[in-house]
Amino acid sequence: MEFWSKTRDGQDPKHSIKVVNILNMINRRQFIKRVVIGYGSLLLLPGCVRGTQKGVYRVLTNEEADCLGCICEQFIPADQYVGAREAGVVNYIDKVLYRYFPELKETYQKGIYSLEAYCKDTYGKFFAQLDWNTQYTLMVKMEKAELPESFWERVLQKDFFNMALRHTMQGYYGPPRHGGNKDYVSYRMMRLDFPLLAGQNRYEK
């Protein structure tokens, strides 16, 4: 089932409702309940200008981080709460690639390269330089594997899309100690106690 679903009142894509195998979702608080079911323990892991300039990241370049940040923001855009980018999701992904899954580094790099190559060839701009609606349209096509295959010979665009989506959800809704969910934004959004201490917190049903 598709990730994207337009709002019933026909609002522009920036205000569209994003869904993960669940349509007609009302708000983010309902959404996280489904995310926890869908990703389970992945969200509760124990604590255990263009070029190739390195910045504050361990694995990603600044340019790769810019592109990835815009992708993540499309998944979880800002509303009354900050979106994925400001919540530190890119930092979470970079940390995951460095500490836990270095084998995914190449997939991310190939996916970002493929998307950037298509954007540069088609629009004369990089993905982060495109307007919101154009980014949205490209994400919809990527999910459906409808971007030109000639730009995606090194990695399957749908695989890249799903990997970025999965890590965005983990970074936004998981414990801040893993690098995302800055200032406990998702916990505050759902009115959860924080820090989350298993067996000690009490939540309303």
Side-chain angles (χ1 to χ4, degrees):
M1 187 173 292
E2 295 177 6
F3 178 81
W4 307 91
S5 176
K6 294 291 186 64
T7 52
R8 288 177 292 179
D9 58 1
Q11 294 179 350
D12 66 57
K14 186 172 182 178
H15 301 287
S16 296
I17 298 175
K18 310 309 192 281
V19 297
V20 181
N21 296 326
I22 299 170
L23 297 177
N24 301 318
M25 197 156 41
I26 298 175
N27 58 43
R28 287 168 129 185
R29 195 167 292 117
Q30 291 179 335
F31 170 67
I32 184 56
K33 294 178 182 178
R34 292 163 173 80
V35 170
V36 170
I37 293 173
Y39 291 107
S41 60
L42 290 176
L43 299 178
L44 301 173
L45 287 171
C48 325
V49 189
R50 286 282 150 186
T52 56
Q53 180 182 2
K54 296 294 288 186
V56 298
Y57 303 101
R58 302 169 179 83
V59 174
L60 300 169
T61 65
N62 288 342
E63 291 73 25
E64 289 168 344
D66 286 344
C67 178
L68 186 57
C70 291
I71 292 172
C72 297
E73 191 74 9
Q74 284 288 333
F75 291 137
I76 307 180
D79 47 25
Q80 65 268 38
Y81 295 96
V82 301
R85 183 165 42 192
E86 192 172 340
V89 168
V90 174
N91 182 56
Y92 165 81
I93 294 174
D94 184 72
K95 191 173 181 180
V96 164
L97 296 179
Y98 179 74
R99 289 191 176 182
Y100 303 110
F101 301 106
E103 67 273 14
L104 297 180
K105 172 185 174 181
E106 188 175 1
T107 303
Y108 265 108
Q109 291 177 328
K110 288 179 178 180
I112 292 172
Y113 174 85
S114 298
L115 178 60
E116 294 284 54
Y118 172 76
C119 291
K120 194 66 176 176
D121 183 76
T122 305
Y123 303 101
K125 299 178 180 180
F126 294 102
F127 186 74
Q129 297 171 324
L130 300 176
D131 64 83
W132 179 275
N133 290 348
T134 301
Q135 290 180 355
Y136 173 90
T137 299
L138 293 181
M139 293 292 290
V140 172
K141 290 182 177 180
M142 189 195 305
E143 183 200 12
K144 298 177 180 178
E146 292 180 351
L147 294 176
E149 289 297 332
S150 58
F151 291 93
W152 294 89
E153 296 177 348
R154 304 171 66 188
V155 62
L156 295 178
Q157 55 188 286
K158 206 164 186 177
D159 288 350
F160 174 68
F161 178 98
N162 289 330
M163 180 178 67
L165 168 60
R166 180 172 64 253
H167 287 156
T168 298
M169 296 301 147
Q170 293 173 9
Y172 195 86
Y173 294 106
R177 66 178 177 272
H178 297 301
N181 195 4
K182 184 179 179 181
D183 298 327
Y184 300 93
V185 58
S186 65
Y187 294 178
R188 290 187 289 106
M189 178 186 70
M190 296 181 290
R191 300 178 183 176
L192 294 176
D193 297 338
F194 54 85
L196 185 61
L197 301 176
Q200 298 184 31
N201 298 67
R202 298 294 181 267
Y203 306 113
E204 295 179 2
K205 295 183 179 180

